[in-house]
Amino acid sequence: MKMFRFSLQRARNINLLRTQISALRSTRNWYSTATEPSSQHPKRVPILIGGKFINSQSSESIDVVNPATQEIVSQVPLTTIEEFKAAVSAAKQAFPSWRSTPITTRQRVMLKLQELIRRDTEKLAMNITTEQGKTLKDAQGDVFRGLEVVEHACGMATLQMGEFASNVSHGIDTYGIREPLGVCAGICPFNFPAMIPLWMFPVAVTCGNTFILKPSEKDPGAAVMLAELAMEAGLPDGVLNIVHGTHDVVNAICDDDDIRAVSFVGSNTAGMHIYARASAKGKRVQSNMGAKNHAIVMPDANMDSAANALVAAGFGAAGQRCMALSTVVFVGDSKTWENKLVERAKGLKVNAGMEPDADLGPVISKQAKERICRLIQSGVEAGARLLLDGRNIVVPGYEHGNFISPTILSGITSDMECYNEEIFGPVLLCMQADSLEEAIDIVNRNRYGNGASIFTSSGAAARKFQTDIDAGQVGINVPIPVPLPFFSFTGSKASFAGDLNFYGKAGVQFFTQLKTVTQQWKDLPSGVSLAMPTSQKA
């Protein structure tokens, strides 16, 4: 009897979900006013299942809050388990047809998508600034860096080419082909609402996979808009699906037997949980996590250009970048450099991202601001010198915003909490070393390995740094050495878990599996031989 009631209830849930899906409505009208906050009736962010945007039946939701004003922009429903299963089912059903679609046709969808993203860049940037807080100019860069991955995916036919060896034995040829995996999933962070989704699904689907995307619950709008553009570009129903939520839906992604691969960008705590849980289920996982990116500044570096680069890389996007330059190691005297950094940082304008004069906007939440302020204070209490304190800033007209202005601490040592933790805010830490060798040793002893840079006019110093530094992405007179998509994002050490990195050749390899075919077309000799086949002529 209990089983009957359970089956009846499950049937009712499925029928209810089908009713939802049939009651379709486009999100274009929904998102035309998505950046207009309403505290009385906030709009609910839709989910995407089988090519249809629908309202979730979940009674639980999370407010999407404008970090500059604290106004509620929208509400994100926590996708129900039935809705999640429906999204996976839609992706699974769409896979056979999509994988059989010619690669040239899949490329044309990406060609159209990049055109549509260019068309709607301003709308996407406006939504990002409203939900995430970064300046409009920075939000446009967010979109553009993702767009470059879409452009790269337009050449998938070449990227996905296999290998061929003729006549490996007498009359036998062997070739390898790259085939899609099936249903894949992506779990996104809050700091790049457009770029990170575009790191994930364009490469995956152009390889022939179908995809489940979980945007950040803090700023899901851009991902939904990008999905809408992908459908407008011709992506078939079910190839891309969107679910929302936190721990429960993340665990569901890790556990579902029909999902073959998981991409993640975010914190180390979440990233290692996802890597362990999904890997235990036999899935491929690529997990980009925390960072503590260093720059070594040599005495011969150009002071003006290096100082400008350090300030831009340290405080841009309010420090909320996994490649933000958070720590500077000065070789030799640091006082002149520190004075120059303070001078430059004081000239930056902190304001709401919508304001045209803003250099940096707020951090994502009040909790994030509290954590950043706590880490700054921990440095002061441990003996660091506070050269510039941005904790008490109040922005006129945005008094409730989550603002922190540029902050600089000097006298940092490697045992301080503010050094060992990723601050993820507009805070620059200054250290000192007596030699290049000592500076390299400081960087290499840190557990993170996303990126590291050197500023110098010496080719010999640059070459030594390039060879000896233990970081995945190296900059020489470049503060944020993030490669363009024809290379891969190659974080290492505690900054990455997995075997294959994001985008570039590694990204294509991550979303495909290699199949090797050995073929023979000739009249076979009579008789049966049970000996091990070899390439030697009998």
Side-chain angles (χ1 to χ4, degrees):
M1 190 67 178
K2 287 182 179 178
M3 182 63 72
F4 173 76
R5 289 197 189 105
F6 175 79
S7 300
L8 183 61
Q9 184 60 47
R10 184 174 179 83
R12 286 173 178 164
N13 289 339
I14 292 172
N15 287 334
L16 178 62
L17 191 58
R18 285 173 178 161
T19 302
Q20 289 177 255
I21 293 175
S22 64
L24 298 186
R25 60 188 183 88
S26 168
T27 57
R28 182 164 293 280
N29 291 333
W30 191 92
Y31 261 102
S32 66
T33 56
T35 57
E36 299 172 11
S38 170
S39 58
Q40 293 182 337
H41 301 289
K43 302 177 188 299
R44 279 169 67 87
V45 182
I47 55 177
L48 173 60
I49 300 176
K52 311 298 186 283
F53 288 100
I54 62 174
N55 276 318
S56 171
Q57 288 301 294
S58 174
S59 60
E60 298 180 87
S61 62
I62 296 172
D63 290 339
V64 176
V65 178
N66 184 326
T69 65
Q70 306 307 314
E71 294 176 296
I72 298 174
V73 178
S74 60
Q75 289 184 326
V76 184
L78 304 186
T79 300
T80 67
I81 190 61
E82 291 83 9
E83 290 164 345
F84 172 76
K85 289 291 185 183
V88 175
S89 177
K92 186 177 180 180
Q93 291 175 28
F95 176 63
S97 174
W98 182 240
R99 72 168 295 177
S100 300
T101 300
I103 183 65
T104 48
T105 302
R106 301 199 300 259
Q107 286 182 155
R108 289 187 193 105
V109 174
M110 290 300 110
L111 283 165
K112 183 63 177 177
L113 177 59
Q114 64 87 26
E115 175 190 333
L116 297 175
I117 291 172
R118 289 180 185 277
R119 182 195 71 188
D120 285 2
T121 292
E122 295 303 319
K123 293 180 183 178
L124 287 160
M126 186 74 73
N127 178 271
I128 291 168
T129 297
T130 301
E131 293 187 354
Q132 199 272 348
K134 63 179 65 178
T135 67
L136 275 173
K137 187 173 183 180
D138 198 32
Q140 291 163 1
D142 187 330
V143 176
F144 187 78
R145 289 306 294 258
L147 173 64
E148 290 178 321
V149 179
V150 180
E151 292 173 338
H152 190 56
C154 293
M156 188 58 69
T158 302
L159 298 173
Q160 210 170 330
M161 277 185 178
E163 300 171 315
F164 185 90
S166 175
N167 207 40
V168 296
S169 188
H170 303 286
I172 296 177
D173 304 325
T174 299
Y175 57 94
I177 54 179
R178 291 209 161 269
E179 295 187 331
L181 302 174
V183 181
C184 302
I187 302 168
C188 302
F190 73 83
N191 57 327
F192 286 99
M195 184 182 78
I196 301 300
L198 291 174
W199 276 16
M200 295 177 178
F201 81 81
V203 176
V205 302
T206 315
C207 285
N209 301 287
T210 54
F211 208 79
I212 308 293
L213 183 68
K214 194 208 85 67
S216 169
E217 67 279 6
K218 293 181 175 66
D219 46 19
V224 175
M225 296 171 77
L226 289 167
E228 184 183 25
L229 295 182
M231 293 170 62
E232 184 180 345
L235 202 65
D237 293 352
V239 174
L240 176 61
N241 305 271
I242 291 181
V243 296
H244 301 296
T246 55
H247 307 87
D248 288 346
V249 74
V250 167
N251 286 336
I253 288 171
C254 293
D255 295 345
D256 194 284
D257 290 335
D258 289 324
I259 294 176
R260 299 286 308 280
V262 179
S263 295
F264 169 80
V265 177
S267 71
N268 277 67
T269 301
M272 290 311 299
H273 169 80
I274 290 165
Y275 179 75
R277 187 160 180 154
S279 296
K281 290 288 185 176
K283 303 183 194 320
R284 288 187 181 182
V285 185
Q286 52 179 193
S287 181
N288 262 14
M289 299 178 288
K292 199 73 177 183
N293 306 304
H294 293 65
I296 294 175
V297 178
M298 299 296 290
D300 62 0
N302 182 288
M303 182 166 285
D304 285 330
S305 63
N308 288 338
L310 295 173
V311 167
F315 303 128
Q320 298 175 118
R321 293 170 175 158
C322 62
M323 284 297 288
L325 205 163
S326 60
T327 305
V328 187
V329 184
F330 296 103
V331 176
D333 179 61
S334 62
K335 186 170 180 57
T336 304
W337 283 98
E338 289 170 354
N339 291 339
K340 183 70 73 172
L341 291 178
V342 170
E343 175 190 334
R344 293 283 202 281
K346 282 182 175 178
L348 297 178
K349 179 73 172 178
V350 180
N351 209 337
M354 292 292 183
E355 299 296 336
D357 63 345
D359 292 311
L360 61 154
V363 296
I364 189 67
S365 67
K366 288 190 176 298
Q367 294 78 11
K369 179 178 178 177
E370 289 169 2
R371 178 180 177 275
I372 294 164
C373 291
R374 181 185 65 78
L375 287 170
I376 294 170
Q377 185 60 30
S378 76
V380 173
E381 292 174 358
R385 297 186 303 277
L386 192 57
L387 303 182
L388 187 62
D389 188 354
R391 290 174 290 178
N392 298 318
I393 185 173
V394 176
V395 176
Y398 300 95
E399 288 80 6
H400 300 294
N402 310 320
F403 294 100
I404 301 177
S405 66
T407 297
I408 301 176
L409 289 163
S410 70
I412 297 296
T413 57
S414 59
D415 60 343
M416 292 181 180
E417 183 185 11
C418 63
Y419 175 75
N420 288 300
E421 292 294 323
E422 183 180 30
I423 298 177
F424 226 58
V427 182
L428 194 59
L429 307 181
C430 299
M431 305 179 78
Q432 193 272 335
D434 293 329
S435 65
L436 175 58
E437 290 78 10
E438 182 187 354
I440 290 173
D441 184 62
I442 289 171
V443 178
N444 287 347
R445 280 190 278 114
N446 190 274
R447 67 190 178 111
Y448 293 112
N450 242 7
S453 298
I454 187 170
F455 289 88
T456 181
S457 59
S458 166
R463 187 171 183 83
K464 179 176 178 57
F465 173 82
Q466 170 189 316
T467 302
D468 294 350
I469 205 72
D470 188 7
Q473 294 162 116
V474 174
I476 297 173
N477 296 318
V478 174
I480 305 179
V482 178
L484 292 174
F486 29 87
F487 291 92
S488 296
F489 189 100
T490 51
S492 63
K493 295 165 66 177
S495 295
F496 181 76
D499 297 315
L500 294 166
N501 296 96
F502 282 80
Y503 60 77
K505 291 180 181 178
V508 174
Q509 291 168 2
F510 178 79
F511 285 117
T512 56
Q513 56 192 356
L514 195 60
K515 178 184 284 183
T516 304
V517 180
T518 302
Q519 64 177 7
Q520 176 177 248
W521 298 103
K522 69 176 183 179
D523 293 332
L524 297 178
S526 58
V528 177
S529 172
L530 300 186
M532 172 67 74
T534 72
S535 60
Q536 299 180 59
K537 192 169 184 178

